[in-house]
């Protein structure tokens, strides 16, 4: 009789000891910094397996009130391990089985009851059955884990429907219910403090809900949730996220200055919050503050290149981390930052376009060097794609020419020509742009080659080569390279729906940045360059022909317009010249050059005409009829 009396107690003590040994083993080995990520995951799998084995032993006998607390503690430990490995279905199965056993202990049946299929009703039934008994803290811990699973699987509507019960969990675990559940130091240990978990769940829920509201355009509602979250106890990275998302709300509400203040708070709270710096850069761009934008780009790039920038930004608990809980698509897009190389490209281009050419050239050269090296530091999945390598070579070449380094520009152009020239087809048919397609998008051939792109890149390389010859006053070579550019471009035919392919013209150009727009622009610039070169060798009639053809292909070309007037003046057709100049000055460009690749801009090197001198000539000529 005495053996039967003491055996359950002996089993209970042995199971508690086994649980505590597993918890201590995790905290000493897996929960610290002694293991790498892979080793830690392996140890976590081992612990979850051992907790599960222990749970099967405990559940091998009918549920008894004496050891239900131990059983629920082991369930909690096992489910924490499963959840940490994103094994959510396994964790939810254990939670359901264990809570059903709790209801059996309290003689509450769920058979043929709607509570069994309704998670909200089911959990309310369980909470009501335990009331304020000693099992209440154990059940609340399990509800915390259910909350974590809902959050990790982006079931925000489910959380919102159960919000009142979930938010009361924190209060109950922080006061007398928690103290009632911890009676002695011999109680079974937990792998994770549930009060810390609830604090984490609270702020992560507010952040996730705020991000979701923001993505749905409900900025005011999101701002309210994020304001509440910012005052909660939490890791500084999460507090920084509340400031970041608040800034995004204010930006959507048309309050850029207030948004900048929130982004600054985010950076002051956690300097690793690079998305705040990136969002600040976008605000500076919106406000037209180019110098601040460049400074933000430079700081963002230098920070991304630091080794620490590649580490996970969230330093959470050893098991359930914020990164596991904050995984919604809307939040991920708001927290995303382009790669270091993408930022470097933006920095190079912005410097070149805004008068800081020497800096821009160095950034372009750094970018090309990084792309050619095996270690492309800072590239990561999900980043905006960089332009193709020939495109980058051409952009860098144009920047080098602007910095008066024509020899280096020629070297890059030759690289593009060597790479693409042999792949060019005899004829290229350009399909009429689809209005639904984005500007700059191209269809690939059956073999995957970008045939139109290769032809345009090669033509652009010859164009830049001609610009370099012009800069060096080698007019003969300039004419040769401009002619090679133009001769490639005339291979392209435009196929409009229902018509035969035909030679494109300026009136067919649609959206800025499309292949057709680039084609016509290259035609205009190559003809203008050749015409200007002819003027330097006094071949005025050839020059006039090319300059007029240039204006037909690219009416916005101011350089062609001014030089066309100059040639007319030299040919004695002064009234026509004056009219040509006046028309050029009065022409309003339909689009900004900044939206185009830098090599498509009108060259700033080579022979230039003084507008003041041209206006003086017109005044001396007298009023135009």
């Amino acid at each position: 009789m005495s053996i039967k009396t003491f055996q359950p107690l002996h089993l209970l003590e042995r199971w508690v000891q086994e649980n505590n040994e597993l918890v201590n083993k995790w905290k000493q080995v897996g929960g610290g910094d002694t293991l790498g990520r892979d080793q830690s995951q392996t140890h976590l799998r081992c612990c979850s397996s051992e907790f599960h084995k222990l749970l099967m032993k405990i559940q091998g006998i009918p549920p008894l009130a004496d050891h239900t607390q131990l059983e629920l503690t082991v369930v909690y430990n096992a489910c924490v391990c499963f959840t940490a490995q994103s094994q959510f279905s396994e964790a939810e199965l254990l939670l359901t089985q264990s809570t059903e056993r709790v209801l059996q202990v309290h003689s509450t049946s769920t058979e043929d009851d709607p509570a069994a299929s309704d998670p909200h009703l089911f959990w309310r039934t369980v909470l009501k059955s335990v009331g304020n008994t000693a099992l209440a803290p154990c059940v609340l811990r399990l509800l915390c884990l259910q909350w974590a699973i809902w959050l990790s699987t982006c079931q925000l509507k489910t959380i919102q429907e159960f919000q009142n019960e979930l938010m009361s969990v924190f209060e109950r675990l922080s006061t007398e219910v928690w103290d009632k559940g911890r009676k002695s130091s011999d109680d079974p240990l937990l792998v994770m403090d549930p009060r810390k978990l609830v604090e984490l769940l609270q702020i992560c829920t507010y952040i996730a809900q705020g991000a979701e509201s923001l993505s749905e355009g409900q900025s005011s509602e999101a701002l309210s949730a994020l304001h509440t979250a910012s005052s909660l106890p939490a890791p500084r990275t999460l507090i920084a996220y509340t400031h970041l998302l608040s800034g995004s709300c204010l930006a959507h509400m048309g309050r850029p200055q207030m948004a900048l203040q929130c982004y600054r708070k985010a950076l002051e709270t956690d300097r690793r919050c690079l998305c705040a710096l990136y969002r600040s850069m976008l605000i500076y761009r919106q406000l037209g503050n180019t110098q601040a934008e460049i400074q933000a780009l430079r700081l963002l790039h230098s920070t991304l290149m630091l080794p620490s920038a590649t580490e996970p930004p969230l330093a959470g608990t050893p098991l359930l981390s914020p990164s596991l809980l904050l995984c919604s698509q809307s939040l991920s897009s708001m927290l995303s930052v382009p790669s270091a190389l993408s930022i470097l490209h933006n920095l190079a281009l912005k410097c070149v376009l805004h008068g800081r050419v020497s800096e821009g050239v160095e950034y372009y050269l750094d970018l090309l060097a990084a792309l050619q090296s095996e270690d492309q530091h800072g590239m990561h999945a999900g980043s905006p794609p960089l332009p193709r390598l020939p495109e980058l070579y051409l952009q860098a070449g144009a920047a080098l020419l602007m910095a008066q380094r024509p020899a280096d520009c020629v070297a890059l152009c030759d690289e593009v020509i060597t790479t693409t020239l042999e792949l060019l087809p005899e004829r290229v048919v350009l399909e009429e742009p689809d209005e639904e397609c984005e500007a700059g998008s191209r269809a690939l051939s059956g073999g995957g080659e970008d045939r139109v792109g290769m032809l345009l890149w090669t033509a652009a390389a010859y164009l830049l080569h001609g610009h370099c010859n012009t800069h060096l006053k080698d007019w003969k070579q300039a004419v040769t390279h401009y002619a090679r550019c133009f001769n490639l471009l005339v291979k392209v035919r435009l196929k409009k729906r229902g018509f035969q392919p035909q030679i494109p013209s300026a009136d067919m150009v649609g959206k800025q940045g499309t292949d057709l727009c680039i084609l016509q622009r290259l035609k205009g610039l190559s003809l203008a360059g050749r015409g200007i070169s002819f003027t330097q060798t006094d071949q005025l009639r050839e020059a006039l022909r090319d300059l007029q053809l240039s204006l037909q292909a690219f009416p916005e070309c101011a350089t062609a317009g001014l030089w066309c007037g100059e040639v007319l003046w030299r040919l004695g057709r002064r009234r026509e010249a004056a009219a040509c100049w006046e028309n050029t000055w009065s022409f309003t460009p339909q689009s900004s050059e900044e939206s185009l690749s830098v090599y498509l801009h009108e060259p700033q090197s080579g022979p230039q005409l003084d507008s003041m001198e041209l206006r003086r000539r017109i005044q001396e000529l007298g009023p135009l009829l």
Side-chain angles (χ1 to χ4, degrees):
M1 178 70 70
S2 59
I3 294 177
K4 292 181 180 180
T5 303
F6 286 101
Q7 187 160 352
L9 180 61
H10 174 68
L11 281 175
L12 181 65
E13 291 176 348
R14 191 167 68 186
W15 288 337
V16 169
Q17 181 181 3
E18 189 173 343
N19 172 81
N20 292 351
E21 287 175 355
L22 287 173
V23 172
N24 288 327
K25 182 180 179 181
W26 164 255
K27 291 182 177 180
Q28 292 171 5
V29 182
D33 297 327
T34 57
L35 296 182
R37 178 181 176 84
D38 293 339
Q39 290 178 308
S40 181
Q41 286 296 313
T42 300
H43 185 63
L44 182 59
R45 285 193 294 271
C46 179
C47 284
S48 61
S49 175
E50 293 299 321
F51 278 125
H52 196 213
K53 289 178 182 178
L54 175 59
L55 181 61
M56 292 175 66
K57 294 179 188 177
I58 299 172
Q59 293 181 340
I61 60 175
L64 299 174
D66 291 342
H67 64 263
T68 301
Q69 284 181 269
L70 170 62
E71 178 181 341
L72 296 183
T73 300
V74 176
V75 169
Y76 174 85
N77 290 337
C79 287
V80 167
C81 294
F82 279 131
T83 305
Q85 299 172 80
S86 299
Q87 295 178 312
F88 303 121
S89 58
E90 290 86 344
E92 281 197 296
L93 180 60
L94 284 184
L95 290 176
T96 302
Q97 292 173 344
S98 60
T99 47
E100 286 177 348
R101 284 169 64 87
V102 169
L103 293 175
Q104 292 178 31
V105 170
H106 288 79
S107 301
T108 305
S109 175
T110 61
E111 187 176 356
D112 298 327
D113 194 319
S117 57
D118 184 341
H120 301 113
L121 187 57
F122 179 75
W123 278 104
R124 289 187 181 108
T125 302
V126 174
L127 290 172
K128 183 178 179 181
S129 71
V130 297
N132 287 324
T133 66
L135 288 181
C138 301
V139 171
L140 289 176
R141 294 172 200 154
L142 301 187
L143 180 55
C144 287
L145 286 174
Q146 180 65 75
W147 182 1
I149 292 170
W150 284 336
L151 190 55
S152 299
T153 54
C154 304
Q155 299 183 54
L156 297 181
K157 289 185 179 179
T158 304
I159 293 175
Q160 190 170 5
E161 293 169 0
F162 208 54
Q163 192 96 5
N164 292 334
E165 286 86 348
L166 293 176
M167 291 307 174
S168 68
V169 169
F170 176 69
E171 298 177 3
R172 298 186 66 185
L173 284 178
S174 300
T175 54
E176 71 277 355
V177 175
W178 169 259
D179 296 329
K180 189 184 296 183
R182 294 287 293 175
K183 295 180 179 179
S184 78
S185 58
D186 295 330
D187 282 348
L189 298 177
L190 303 172
V191 293
M192 183 175 180
D193 186 341
R195 290 173 293 186
K196 294 289 185 182
L197 174 58
V198 172
E199 289 179 357
L200 187 62
L201 289 171
Q202 272 192 307
I203 190 168
C204 286
T205 298
Y206 279 123
I207 290 173
Q209 289 175 337
E212 196 67 23
S213 297
L214 179 57
S215 68
E216 295 172 355
Q218 302 172 357
S219 299
S220 298
E221 183 179 334
L223 200 58
S224 176
L226 293 166
H227 178 72
T228 303
S230 64
S231 60
L232 295 175
R236 62 180 183 177
T237 299
L238 294 179
I239 298 298
Y241 280 5
T242 66
H243 295 311
L244 168 75
L245 295 176
S246 296
S248 297
C249 291
L250 291 166
H252 279 79
M253 296 166 69
R255 303 175 186 175
Q257 295 296 344
M258 295 180 69
L260 283 174
Q261 292 178 10
C262 289
Y263 295 147
R264 291 191 190 103
K265 283 184 181 179
L267 286 168
E268 289 169 0
T269 305
D270 187 352
R271 293 183 179 180
R272 298 172 300 173
C273 189
L274 298 183
C275 38
L277 185 56
Y278 176 64
R279 296 285 171 177
S280 298
M281 183 272 294
L282 295 179
I283 292 290
Y284 291 134
R285 179 177 296 173
Q286 176 188 342
L287 296 174
N289 190 341
T290 303
Q291 298 308 314
E293 180 187 352
I294 290 175
Q295 184 178 358
L297 283 168
R298 187 189 296 114
L299 180 58
L300 185 57
H301 174 256
S302 61
T303 307
L304 284 169
M305 293 302 292
L306 296 174
S308 59
T310 61
E311 297 174 0
L314 294 173
T317 58
L319 286 171
L320 301 186
S321 66
S323 58
L324 177 71
L325 304 173
L326 296 174
C327 57
S328 69
Q329 186 63 39
S330 55
L331 182 61
S332 297
S333 64
M334 293 176 194
L335 299 180
S336 63
V337 177
S339 68
L341 293 183
S342 180
I343 293 296
L344 181 58
H345 174 245
N346 276 283
L347 179 57
L349 186 57
K350 187 63 64 172
C351 286
V352 170
L353 292 175
H354 292 276
R356 302 168 72 161
V357 178
S358 298
E359 288 181 63
V361 165
E362 295 306 316
Y363 290 135
Y364 266 120
L365 295 179
D366 289 343
L367 176 62
L368 294 180
L371 290 171
Q372 290 173 347
S373 67
E374 293 183 1
D375 180 21
Q376 295 183 13
H377 184 85
M379 286 296 289
H380 53 78
S383 295
L386 285 169
R388 299 277 293 275
L389 198 56
E391 175 81 13
L392 292 175
Y393 270 60
L394 292 169
Q395 291 181 19
L400 286 163
L401 180 57
M402 293 169 66
Q404 298 188 8
R405 296 170 58 178
D408 294 328
C409 176
V410 167
L412 291 180
C413 291
D414 287 342
E415 183 70 24
V416 173
I417 294 168
T418 302
T419 305
T420 59
L421 187 59
E422 294 183 357
L423 301 176
L424 298 181
E426 286 299 319
R427 285 284 182 272
V428 175
V429 176
L430 181 61
E431 298 286 345
E432 182 181 28
D434 190 338
E435 292 182 359
E436 297 181 357
C437 292
E438 295 184 1
S441 62
R442 293 187 177 119
L444 302 181
S445 68
E449 303 94 353
D450 184 357
R451 302 176 67 185
V452 176
M454 285 190 292
L455 186 143
L456 295 178
W457 289 327
T458 309
Y462 280 130
L463 178 73
L464 282 179
H465 215 312
H467 291 342
C468 291
N469 297 139
T470 300
H471 179 83
L472 298 171
K473 299 182 180 180
D474 188 347
W475 310 117
K476 183 177 179 180
Q477 283 298 312
V479 167
T480 299
H481 285 104
Y482 287 133
R484 288 176 179 172
C485 172
F486 182 76
N487 291 338
L488 278 178
L489 298 171
V490 295
K491 291 183 176 183
V492 180
R493 296 290 185 271
L494 176 65
K495 183 179 180 181
K496 301 188 72 174
R497 293 178 182 85
F499 295 92
Q500 292 296 319
Q502 57 184 306
I503 298 175
S505 59
D507 58 357
M508 298 179 183
V509 175
K511 290 186 290 186
Q512 185 84 343
T514 60
D515 287 337
L516 184 55
C517 169
I518 295 171
L519 174 70
Q520 291 301 112
R521 197 174 183 95
L522 286 171
K523 278 185 181 180
L525 291 173
S526 62
L527 287 166
R530 192 169 69 175
I532 294 169
S533 300
F534 280 138
T535 64
Q536 305 306 306
T537 57
D538 293 326
Q539 296 173 269
L540 298 183
R541 298 200 179 278
E542 291 83 352
L544 182 60
R545 176 202 64 202
D546 281 356
L547 291 167
Q548 289 176 335
L549 289 172
S550 171
L551 290 171
Q552 290 179 23
F554 177 27
E556 299 179 28
C557 187
T559 302
L562 294 178
W563 275 100
C564 187
E566 175 67 17
V567 173
L568 288 168
W569 186 277
R570 294 186 190 181
L571 291 172
R573 298 158 63 176
R574 298 191 172 188
R575 293 286 178 182
E576 293 179 65
C580 187
W581 289 330
E582 292 286 4
N583 183 62
T584 301
W585 290 324
S586 65
F587 196 89
T588 302
Q590 296 180 356
S591 55
S592 170
E593 280 195 336
E594 188 164 342
S595 61
L596 292 165
S597 292
V598 65
Y599 60 84
L600 294 173
H601 295 189
E602 294 189 44
Q604 302 302 313
S605 60
Q608 300 292 323
L609 293 171
D610 184 354
S611 292
M612 295 295 293
E613 168 63 21
L614 301 183
R615 292 182 190 278
R616 185 189 62 78
R617 292 190 203 174
I618 294 175
Q619 288 178 352
E620 292 177 353
L621 187 62
L624 298 177
L625 296 178

